[in-house]
Amino acid sequence: MKTSIVFLLCISVFPGFSQGRVVREDETGFAECNVFFPGQVPPEGFTEPFHVKICQQYNKEPRFATLYSTKDKIPLYSAFKFTKPAQSEEENWLVEPQIDDPENDLHEMVHEADIGGTVANLGANQALTSDYVGSGYERGLLNPSVLNEEDFQVATYTLTNAVPLSPALSKSWHRDIGKVVEQALISHCSKMDHLYLLAGAIPSSVRVKGKVSVPESLWLAACCDAPEGWSLGLVKKINDENSLADLTVRELEKQLLPGVHLFKGNCGEDKQSQEKREAVLQAVSQIRSGEQVETSDNQETKDSGWVRRVAGIIATPFIKLLELLIYIFVELVKFVFYFLWLVVKRVVGTVLDGVYSLWNGMVSYLKAVSMVLISIPYDAGRVIINIFLGFLQIVQDLMSLTYRILSIPVGFILHLAAFPYHSICAIPSVLKDMATGIGGTFSLVIDATAAVLHGFYYLAGHIVKRFVPKGSSDD
């Protein structure tokens, strides 16, 4: 299942009145603007990745909810409640920077002319005023301003709530919806706060300037979520400004995307009061019939409208020329102010850079002086310690030299004193060695004499055996 991109957007005519934030993944629906749906459950079935959910806010309060198509650059529906209409209205058209540039720091609805190139890809995902200029279409509000009190009314003038409509169709749509809501729907809902309204558009392949889709039809779905409640659908075809067909919500859903459910449980369709619904349909039929009679009576007015239209066609080139001249003048003024701004910015930047460099130099100088002042006691202490250590080394060397000088006579005297002792102690060992030597000599002499005698004896025996006959020997 595809997940649609969800933004929480806000509208603000004066800076600081409202903030915008991206809806977290753990939030559902339209966040704070879920109050504009029965049971706080938005319509189901709008799941394309180019469907953007917008919580339209003003003075930090949610005013209505919008599902916007960045592909068609028109709203698919706006959900709202009826509030007491304001006596007058002022058009202040705004755009939403975050639709085209989600990373932008502008978290408020702003005038298109005030953006000044600060939004990347402006107009890539939403319609701009320039898309309507010279197209023959005007910005028709899905949530009509005539059904809103002052704060709510200001919030409706955003391009995310507008679709391309011909001037006649835009007037007819606002007139029809105003009369149906005020004269038929409000009077037949026991609790006005429980009347939920969805005004939507079905995109077509026709594009204004190849970008903004012209709807093929407009629709209104109403739900009275109260005891003896009811629901109703109305459709107005673009090619017939006087058409206003009534149908059930379920029949209306079939004309939208597959799987779409506008109200929770079809707004209790199984538990609806048929009497109330019939009364609402009768009131809508009376309004529709009265408009048709009024249209017949004013056919002559329509004919005069053709004359005005022809005059408008003739005057269009001159109007376009005037618009071009005004545009050139505005751009020149903007260029002059921008150039002056760059000059002032460059001069101020240069001055600030000089002050910054001077400040850095002063800080570096003071830092160096401080380090030198801090290092003086340290260096002095280190010199004193080195002198003391050198003195100790000299004392040690003197003591070592004195010891070596004194050790020569002392050693000689000690060796000289020890000579008699060692000489006397050696006499017994010498005598013993001499005795051992003399004894060894006598023993050697005896052994040599015995060996000589044994040799003579052996020689004599051998001679006797050789020269004396054996017989005489036997005798």
Side-chain angles (χ1 to χ4, degrees):
M1 181 177 179
K2 296 180 179 178
T3 304
S4 53
I5 303 172
V6 182
F7 292 100
L8 220 201
L9 308 176
C10 64
I11 293 180
S12 176
V13 173
F14 302 101
F17 275 14
S18 55
Q19 295 285 329
R21 62 179 179 88
V22 177
V23 176
R24 301 189 306 270
E25 292 183 0
D26 58 346
E27 293 181 302
T28 58
F30 290 76
E32 293 92 335
C33 286
N34 285 335
V35 296
F36 298 106
F37 304 99
Q40 297 195 12
V41 178
E44 300 175 350
F46 297 93
T47 58
E48 295 295 339
F50 50 81
H51 291 167
V52 178
K53 295 178 180 179
I54 306 174
C55 182
Q56 311 279 15
Q57 299 183 3
Y58 180 73
N59 282 351
K60 299 182 180 180
E61 295 291 335
R63 303 303 180 177
F64 65 99
T66 299
L67 182 70
Y68 193 81
S69 171
T70 57
K71 173 185 175 183
D72 302 299
K73 297 186 178 180
I74 62 170
L76 298 182
Y77 66 76
S78 285
F80 58 99
K81 292 183 177 181
F82 175 80
T83 58
K84 184 178 179 181
Q87 297 298 321
S88 61
E89 54 182 303
E90 180 181 358
E91 294 187 11
N92 287 303
W93 290 96
L94 306 116
V95 295
E96 174 48 57
Q98 286 190 339
I99 290 183
D100 293 323
D101 186 7
E103 303 299 326
N104 196 278
D105 294 334
L106 294 174
H107 297 298
E108 303 174 350
M109 283 283 190
V110 295
H111 291 283
E112 181 182 347
D114 295 338
I115 291 179
T118 59
V119 178
N121 302 317
L122 181 63
N125 296 320
Q126 67 178 313
L128 304 176
T129 302
S130 58
D131 296 325
Y132 288 88
V133 175
S135 65
Y137 294 94
E138 66 178 35
R139 296 157 291 190
L141 300 178
L142 284 188
N143 175 12
S145 61
V146 295
L147 295 179
N148 294 270
E149 63 184 6
E150 185 174 355
D151 281 356
F152 286 80
Q153 188 178 85
V154 173
T156 62
Y157 284 102
T158 167
L159 287 164
T160 54
N161 182 46
V163 297
L165 298 177
S166 66
L169 182 62
S170 179
K171 181 179 179 181
S172 171
W173 167 253
H174 293 169
R175 180 192 63 216
D176 292 350
I177 296 303
K179 287 186 177 181
V180 166
V181 171
E182 292 188 50
Q183 299 178 20
L185 305 186
I186 290 296
S187 58
H188 290 88
C189 188
S190 57
K191 296 182 179 181
M192 187 179 73
D193 189 53
H194 286 222
L195 178 61
Y196 298 91
L197 301 171
L198 283 175
I202 301 176
S204 71
S205 58
V206 180
R207 305 274 170 170
V208 177
K209 297 184 178 181
K211 293 166 47 176
V212 186
S213 176
V214 178
E216 66 179 39
S217 60
L218 304 173
W219 55 269
L220 176 73
C223 163
C224 180
D225 187 19
E228 297 186 343
W230 46 265
S231 64
L232 176 70
L234 297 172
V235 175
K236 177 182 281 291
K237 294 295 182 182
I238 296 299
N239 54 9
D240 185 3
E241 63 187 59
N242 294 318
S243 66
L244 191 64
D246 57 80
L247 63 171
T248 65
V249 171
R250 185 167 297 176
E251 291 171 340
L252 174 60
E253 291 171 347
K254 293 179 180 179
Q255 298 187 21
L256 306 177
L257 298 174
V260 167
H261 296 288
L262 296 179
F263 297 122
K264 180 181 179 181
N266 290 328
C267 198
E269 189 168 304
D270 297 333
K271 301 178 182 179
Q272 291 182 13
S273 170
Q274 293 300 322
E275 293 184 6
K276 284 287 185 180
R277 188 174 188 280
E278 291 297 330
V280 173
L281 289 175
Q282 184 177 0
V284 171
S285 178
Q286 291 175 353
I287 293 172
R288 184 169 51 230
S289 299
E291 289 173 352
Q292 290 175 353
V293 170
E294 180 183 352
T295 301
S296 300
D297 294 340
N298 294 328
Q299 186 65 35
E300 183 178 347
T301 305
K302 269 193 171 182
D303 294 337
S304 63
W306 283 102
V307 176
R308 290 195 300 271
R309 186 174 301 177
V310 172
I313 293 173
I314 296 173
T316 296
F318 300 99
I319 295 174
K320 295 298 181 184
L321 178 61
L322 181 60
E323 289 179 352
L324 177 62
L325 294 175
I326 293 174
Y327 176 79
I328 293 174
F329 176 75
V330 171
E331 290 299 320
L332 287 174
V333 172
K334 288 169 62 177
F335 174 77
V336 170
F337 277 103
Y338 183 71
F339 177 76
L340 292 176
W341 161 247
L342 287 179
V343 172
V344 172
K345 182 180 179 182
R346 181 63 60 85
V347 171
V348 172
T350 303
V351 173
L352 291 178
D353 289 341
V355 172
Y356 179 74
S357 300
L358 180 61
W359 171 256
N360 280 341
M362 291 178 63
V363 170
S364 300
Y365 176 76
L366 293 176
K367 181 179 178 182
V369 171
S370 300
M371 293 300 295
V372 171
L373 293 176
I374 292 173
S375 65
I376 288 174
Y378 171 76
D379 293 338
R382 187 170 61 177
V383 169
I384 293 172
I385 292 173
N386 289 336
I387 292 173
F388 179 72
L389 292 176
F391 176 76
L392 292 180
Q393 185 66 38
I394 292 171
V395 172
Q396 181 183 358
D397 292 341
L398 289 174
M399 294 178 67
S400 176
L401 180 61
T402 303
Y403 170 77
R404 291 184 180 183
I405 293 173
L406 294 176
S407 65
I408 295 174
V410 172
F412 176 76
I413 293 172
L414 291 176
H415 285 295
L416 186 63
F419 177 75
Y421 169 77
H422 290 295
S423 299
I424 294 171
C425 290
I427 291 173
S429 297
V430 172
L431 292 177
K432 180 181 178 181
D433 291 339
M434 289 175 64
T436 302
I438 293 170
T441 302
F442 279 112
S443 177
L444 179 62
V445 170
I446 292 171
D447 289 339
T449 304
V452 170
L453 290 177
H454 183 270
F456 281 117
Y457 172 77
Y458 178 78
L459 180 62
H462 184 69
I463 293 171
V464 170
K465 284 182 182 182
R466 184 163 182 89
F467 295 101
V468 178
K470 293 182 178 181
S472 58
S473 174
D474 293 333
D475 290 340

